[in-house]
Short mmCIF file of all heavy atoms in Angstrom, two decimals:
data_model
loop_
_atom_site.label_atom_id
_atom_site.label_comp_id
_atom_site.label_asym_id
_atom_site.label_seq_id
_atom_site.Cartn_x
_atom_site.Cartn_y
_atom_site.Cartn_z
N ALA J 652 -34.42 68.97 -138.03
CA ALA J 652 -35.22 67.77 -138.17
C ALA J 652 -34.60 66.89 -139.25
O ALA J 652 -33.83 67.37 -140.10
CB ALA J 652 -36.66 68.12 -138.54
N ALA J 653 -34.93 65.61 -139.24
CA ALA J 653 -34.35 64.69 -140.23
C ALA J 653 -34.70 65.11 -141.65
O ALA J 653 -33.85 65.11 -142.55
CB ALA J 653 -34.83 63.27 -139.97
N GLY J 654 -35.96 65.49 -141.87
CA GLY J 654 -36.38 65.91 -143.21
C GLY J 654 -35.65 67.14 -143.67
O GLY J 654 -35.32 67.29 -144.86
N GLU J 655 -35.38 68.05 -142.75
CA GLU J 655 -34.62 69.26 -143.08
C GLU J 655 -33.20 68.91 -143.49
O GLU J 655 -32.65 69.47 -144.45
CB GLU J 655 -34.61 70.19 -141.86
CG GLU J 655 -33.92 71.53 -142.08
CD GLU J 655 -33.93 72.40 -140.83
OE1 GLU J 655 -34.48 71.97 -139.81
OE2 GLU J 655 -33.36 73.51 -140.89
N ALA J 656 -32.59 67.96 -142.78
CA ALA J 656 -31.24 67.51 -143.12
C ALA J 656 -31.21 66.89 -144.51
O ALA J 656 -30.30 67.13 -145.31
CB ALA J 656 -30.73 66.52 -142.09
N TYR J 657 -32.23 66.09 -144.83
CA TYR J 657 -32.33 65.48 -146.16
C TYR J 657 -32.40 66.56 -147.24
O TYR J 657 -31.72 66.47 -148.27
CB TYR J 657 -33.57 64.60 -146.25
CG TYR J 657 -33.33 63.15 -145.93
CD1 TYR J 657 -33.45 62.67 -144.63
CD2 TYR J 657 -32.99 62.24 -146.92
CE1 TYR J 657 -33.24 61.33 -144.33
CE2 TYR J 657 -32.78 60.90 -146.65
CZ TYR J 657 -32.90 60.44 -145.34
OH TYR J 657 -32.68 59.11 -145.07
N ASP J 658 -33.21 67.57 -147.03
CA ASP J 658 -33.37 68.63 -148.03
C ASP J 658 -32.06 69.40 -148.23
O ASP J 658 -31.71 69.76 -149.36
CB ASP J 658 -34.49 69.58 -147.63
CG ASP J 658 -35.87 68.99 -147.85
OD1 ASP J 658 -35.99 68.02 -148.63
OD2 ASP J 658 -36.84 69.49 -147.24
N LYS J 659 -31.35 69.66 -147.14
CA LYS J 659 -30.10 70.41 -147.24
C LYS J 659 -29.01 69.59 -147.94
O LYS J 659 -28.25 70.12 -148.75
CB LYS J 659 -29.64 70.86 -145.86
CG LYS J 659 -30.53 71.95 -145.27
CD LYS J 659 -30.10 72.36 -143.88
CE LYS J 659 -30.98 73.48 -143.33
NZ LYS J 659 -30.62 73.87 -141.96
N VAL J 660 -28.95 68.31 -147.64
CA VAL J 660 -27.97 67.43 -148.31
C VAL J 660 -28.33 67.30 -149.79
O VAL J 660 -27.44 67.27 -150.65
CB VAL J 660 -27.92 66.06 -147.62
CG1 VAL J 660 -27.18 65.04 -148.48
CG2 VAL J 660 -27.25 66.18 -146.26
N ALA J 661 -29.61 67.24 -150.09
CA ALA J 661 -30.03 67.17 -151.49
C ALA J 661 -29.55 68.38 -152.28
O ALA J 661 -29.09 68.26 -153.42
CB ALA J 661 -31.55 67.07 -151.58
N ARG J 662 -29.62 69.55 -151.66
CA ARG J 662 -29.14 70.77 -152.34
C ARG J 662 -27.64 70.69 -152.57
O ARG J 662 -27.14 71.11 -153.63
CB ARG J 662 -29.49 72.01 -151.51
CG ARG J 662 -30.96 72.41 -151.63
CD ARG J 662 -31.19 73.84 -151.18
NE ARG J 662 -31.05 73.99 -149.74
CZ ARG J 662 -32.04 73.81 -148.88
NH1 ARG J 662 -33.23 73.44 -149.31
NH2 ARG J 662 -31.83 74.01 -147.59
N VAL J 663 -26.91 70.17 -151.59
CA VAL J 663 -25.45 70.02 -151.74
C VAL J 663 -25.13 69.11 -152.92
O VAL J 663 -24.17 69.34 -153.68
CB VAL J 663 -24.83 69.46 -150.44
CG1 VAL J 663 -23.36 69.08 -150.67
CG2 VAL J 663 -24.95 70.47 -149.31
N LEU J 664 -25.97 68.08 -153.12
CA LEU J 664 -25.74 67.11 -154.19
C LEU J 664 -26.39 67.52 -155.51
O LEU J 664 -26.30 66.79 -156.50
CB LEU J 664 -26.26 65.73 -153.77
CG LEU J 664 -25.58 65.09 -152.56
CD1 LEU J 664 -26.24 63.76 -152.21
CD2 LEU J 664 -24.09 64.88 -152.82
N GLY J 665 -27.04 68.67 -155.52
CA GLY J 665 -27.66 69.16 -156.75
C GLY J 665 -28.93 68.43 -157.11
O GLY J 665 -29.29 68.37 -158.30
N LEU J 666 -29.63 67.89 -156.12
CA LEU J 666 -30.87 67.17 -156.36
C LEU J 666 -32.08 68.09 -156.23
O LEU J 666 -32.03 69.08 -155.50
CB LEU J 666 -31.01 66.00 -155.37
CG LEU J 666 -29.88 64.96 -155.42
CD1 LEU J 666 -30.08 63.92 -154.31
CD2 LEU J 666 -29.84 64.27 -156.78
N PRO J 667 -33.17 67.79 -156.90
CA PRO J 667 -34.35 68.66 -156.88
C PRO J 667 -35.04 68.68 -155.52
O PRO J 667 -34.84 67.79 -154.69
CB PRO J 667 -35.28 68.06 -157.95
CG PRO J 667 -34.43 67.13 -158.75
CD PRO J 667 -33.36 66.66 -157.83
N TYR J 668 -35.90 69.67 -155.33
CA TYR J 668 -36.78 69.74 -154.16
C TYR J 668 -38.08 69.02 -154.47
O TYR J 668 -38.56 69.11 -155.60
CB TYR J 668 -37.06 71.22 -153.81
CG TYR J 668 -38.09 71.38 -152.72
CD1 TYR J 668 -37.71 71.33 -151.39
CD2 TYR J 668 -39.44 71.56 -153.03
CE1 TYR J 668 -38.66 71.45 -150.38
CE2 TYR J 668 -40.39 71.68 -152.04
CZ TYR J 668 -40.00 71.63 -150.72
OH TYR J 668 -40.94 71.74 -149.73
N PRO J 669 -38.69 68.33 -153.50
CA PRO J 669 -38.18 68.06 -152.15
C PRO J 669 -37.08 67.01 -152.16
O PRO J 669 -37.16 66.03 -152.90
CB PRO J 669 -39.43 67.58 -151.41
CG PRO J 669 -40.28 66.97 -152.47
CD PRO J 669 -40.04 67.77 -153.71
N GLY J 670 -36.06 67.22 -151.33
CA GLY J 670 -34.86 66.41 -151.43
C GLY J 670 -34.98 64.99 -150.93
O GLY J 670 -34.30 64.09 -151.44
N GLY J 671 -35.82 64.76 -149.91
CA GLY J 671 -35.89 63.44 -149.29
C GLY J 671 -36.09 62.28 -150.24
O GLY J 671 -35.30 61.33 -150.25
N PRO J 672 -37.13 62.31 -151.07
CA PRO J 672 -37.35 61.19 -152.00
C PRO J 672 -36.21 61.00 -152.99
O PRO J 672 -35.89 59.86 -153.36
CB PRO J 672 -38.64 61.59 -152.73
CG PRO J 672 -39.33 62.53 -151.80
CD PRO J 672 -38.24 63.29 -151.12
N HIS J 673 -35.57 62.09 -153.41
CA HIS J 673 -34.47 61.99 -154.38
C HIS J 673 -33.21 61.40 -153.73
O HIS J 673 -32.50 60.61 -154.35
CB HIS J 673 -34.17 63.36 -154.98
CG HIS J 673 -35.29 63.91 -155.82
ND1 HIS J 673 -35.56 63.43 -157.08
CD2 HIS J 673 -36.21 64.86 -155.57
CE1 HIS J 673 -36.59 64.08 -157.59
NE2 HIS J 673 -37.00 64.95 -156.69
N VAL J 674 -32.95 61.78 -152.47
CA VAL J 674 -31.81 61.19 -151.75
C VAL J 674 -32.05 59.70 -151.54
O VAL J 674 -31.16 58.87 -151.74
CB VAL J 674 -31.59 61.89 -150.39
CG1 VAL J 674 -30.54 61.14 -149.56
CG2 VAL J 674 -31.15 63.33 -150.61
N ASP J 675 -33.27 59.34 -151.15
CA ASP J 675 -33.62 57.94 -150.93
C ASP J 675 -33.44 57.12 -152.21
O ASP J 675 -32.87 56.02 -152.19
CB ASP J 675 -35.07 57.87 -150.45
CG ASP J 675 -35.50 56.46 -150.05
OD1 ASP J 675 -34.63 55.66 -149.66
OD2 ASP J 675 -36.71 56.18 -150.12
N LYS J 676 -33.89 57.66 -153.32
CA LYS J 676 -33.78 56.95 -154.60
C LYS J 676 -32.33 56.80 -155.02
O LYS J 676 -31.89 55.72 -155.45
CB LYS J 676 -34.56 57.71 -155.68
CG LYS J 676 -34.53 57.06 -157.05
CD LYS J 676 -35.35 57.86 -158.06
CE LYS J 676 -35.30 57.21 -159.44
NZ LYS J 676 -36.09 57.99 -160.44
N LEU J 677 -31.54 57.89 -154.91
CA LEU J 677 -30.13 57.84 -155.30
C LEU J 677 -29.34 56.90 -154.40
O LEU J 677 -28.43 56.20 -154.87
CB LEU J 677 -29.54 59.26 -155.25
CG LEU J 677 -28.08 59.41 -155.67
CD1 LEU J 677 -27.88 58.98 -157.12
CD2 LEU J 677 -27.63 60.87 -155.47
N ALA J 678 -29.69 56.87 -153.11
CA ALA J 678 -28.95 56.03 -152.16
C ALA J 678 -29.03 54.56 -152.52
O ALA J 678 -28.12 53.79 -152.18
CB ALA J 678 -29.49 56.26 -150.75
N LYS J 679 -30.08 54.14 -153.20
CA LYS J 679 -30.23 52.74 -153.58
C LYS J 679 -29.16 52.31 -154.58
O LYS J 679 -28.90 51.11 -154.75
CB LYS J 679 -31.62 52.50 -154.18
CG LYS J 679 -32.74 52.68 -153.17
CD LYS J 679 -34.11 52.56 -153.82
CE LYS J 679 -35.22 52.78 -152.80
NZ LYS J 679 -36.57 52.73 -153.39
N GLU J 680 -28.54 53.28 -155.24
CA GLU J 680 -27.49 52.99 -156.22
C GLU J 680 -26.10 53.06 -155.60
O GLU J 680 -25.11 52.78 -156.28
CB GLU J 680 -27.58 53.99 -157.38
CG GLU J 680 -28.93 54.02 -158.08
CD GLU J 680 -29.02 55.15 -159.09
OE1 GLU J 680 -27.98 55.75 -159.41
OE2 GLU J 680 -30.14 55.43 -159.57
N GLY J 681 -26.01 53.45 -154.32
CA GLY J 681 -24.71 53.66 -153.70
C GLY J 681 -24.39 52.66 -152.61
O GLY J 681 -25.18 51.78 -152.27
N ASP J 682 -23.21 52.82 -152.03
CA ASP J 682 -22.70 51.98 -150.95
C ASP J 682 -22.73 52.80 -149.67
O ASP J 682 -21.97 53.76 -149.50
CB ASP J 682 -21.28 51.54 -151.27
CG ASP J 682 -20.68 50.63 -150.21
OD1 ASP J 682 -21.30 50.48 -149.13
OD2 ASP J 682 -19.59 50.07 -150.44
N GLY J 683 -23.61 52.42 -148.74
CA GLY J 683 -23.77 53.17 -147.51
C GLY J 683 -22.61 53.06 -146.54
O GLY J 683 -22.57 53.80 -145.55
N SER J 684 -21.68 52.17 -146.80
CA SER J 684 -20.52 52.03 -145.92
C SER J 684 -19.27 52.68 -146.51
O SER J 684 -18.19 52.61 -145.92
CB SER J 684 -20.24 50.54 -145.66
OG SER J 684 -19.90 49.87 -146.88
N LYS J 685 -19.42 53.31 -147.65
CA LYS J 685 -18.27 53.84 -148.38
C LYS J 685 -17.63 55.04 -147.66
O LYS J 685 -16.40 55.16 -147.60
CB LYS J 685 -18.72 54.27 -149.78
CG LYS J 685 -17.58 54.44 -150.77
CD LYS J 685 -17.01 53.11 -151.19
CE LYS J 685 -15.99 53.26 -152.31
NZ LYS J 685 -15.45 51.95 -152.72
N ILE J 686 -18.47 55.94 -147.13
CA ILE J 686 -17.96 57.15 -146.49
C ILE J 686 -18.33 57.10 -145.01
O ILE J 686 -19.52 57.04 -144.67
CB ILE J 686 -18.55 58.42 -147.14
CG1 ILE J 686 -18.30 58.38 -148.65
CG2 ILE J 686 -17.94 59.67 -146.54
CD1 ILE J 686 -19.13 59.36 -149.44
N PRO J 687 -17.37 57.12 -144.10
CA PRO J 687 -17.64 56.93 -142.67
C PRO J 687 -18.14 58.19 -141.98
O PRO J 687 -17.46 58.75 -141.10
CB PRO J 687 -16.29 56.48 -142.12
CG PRO J 687 -15.29 57.18 -142.99
CD PRO J 687 -15.91 57.20 -144.37
N PHE J 688 -19.33 58.65 -142.35
CA PHE J 688 -19.90 59.80 -141.66
C PHE J 688 -20.21 59.40 -140.22
O PHE J 688 -20.72 58.31 -139.94
CB PHE J 688 -21.19 60.27 -142.35
CG PHE J 688 -20.95 60.90 -143.69
CD1 PHE J 688 -21.65 60.49 -144.81
CD2 PHE J 688 -20.03 61.93 -143.84
CE1 PHE J 688 -21.45 61.07 -146.05
CE2 PHE J 688 -19.81 62.52 -145.08
CZ PHE J 688 -20.51 62.09 -146.19
N LYS J 689 -19.93 60.31 -139.30
CA LYS J 689 -20.08 60.04 -137.87
C LYS J 689 -21.54 59.87 -137.47
O LYS J 689 -22.42 60.58 -137.94
CB LYS J 689 -19.46 61.20 -137.08
CG LYS J 689 -19.48 60.99 -135.57
CD LYS J 689 -18.83 62.18 -134.87
CE LYS J 689 -18.89 62.00 -133.35
NZ LYS J 689 -18.29 63.17 -132.64
N ARG J 690 -21.78 58.90 -136.59
CA ARG J 690 -23.10 58.72 -135.98
C ARG J 690 -23.15 59.59 -134.73
O ARG J 690 -22.26 59.49 -133.87
CB ARG J 690 -23.34 57.28 -135.59
CG ARG J 690 -23.88 56.37 -136.69
CD ARG J 690 -22.98 56.26 -137.88
NE ARG J 690 -23.43 55.19 -138.78
CZ ARG J 690 -23.06 55.11 -140.05
NH1 ARG J 690 -22.25 56.05 -140.58
NH2 ARG J 690 -23.48 54.12 -140.82
N VAL J 691 -24.17 60.40 -134.61
CA VAL J 691 -24.28 61.30 -133.46
C VAL J 691 -25.25 60.70 -132.45
O VAL J 691 -26.46 60.71 -132.66
CB VAL J 691 -24.75 62.71 -133.89
CG1 VAL J 691 -24.86 63.63 -132.69
CG2 VAL J 691 -23.79 63.30 -134.93
N TRP J 692 -24.70 60.21 -131.34
CA TRP J 692 -25.53 59.54 -130.33
C TRP J 692 -25.87 60.46 -129.16
O TRP J 692 -26.77 60.16 -128.38
CB TRP J 692 -24.81 58.30 -129.80
CG TRP J 692 -24.55 57.28 -130.86
CD1 TRP J 692 -23.35 57.03 -131.48
CD2 TRP J 692 -25.49 56.38 -131.45
NE1 TRP J 692 -23.49 56.03 -132.42
CE2 TRP J 692 -24.80 55.61 -132.42
CE3 TRP J 692 -26.85 56.13 -131.25
CZ2 TRP J 692 -25.41 54.62 -133.18
CZ3 TRP J 692 -27.47 55.15 -132.00
CH2 TRP J 692 -26.76 54.41 -132.95
#
C-alpha cells in the first residue's frame, strides 16, 4: 500500500515512525525532479 511504502522509505532515510508525515514534511525542502525514480504504470 502507499502508506506502507512511505513507512519503509522513511526507515531507509532514518526518519521516525510513522513515516508518512515525516517524508511529506522533508519533501517540502527537496527537489522532486532531482532523482528520476521510475513511475510504475
Side-chain angles (χ1 to χ4, degrees):
E655 183 181 359
Y657 266 90
D658 285 340
K659 289 178 178 178
V660 166
R662 283 198 289 272
V663 171
L664 297 177
L666 300 175
Y668 173 85
H673 294 285
V674 172
D675 186 27
K676 181 179 179 181
L677 182 61
K679 294 175 181 178
E680 304 172 12
D682 182 350
S684 63
K685 198 73 173 180
I686 306 165
F688 290 129
K689 183 180 178 181
R690 275 60 169 161
V691 180
W692 298 103

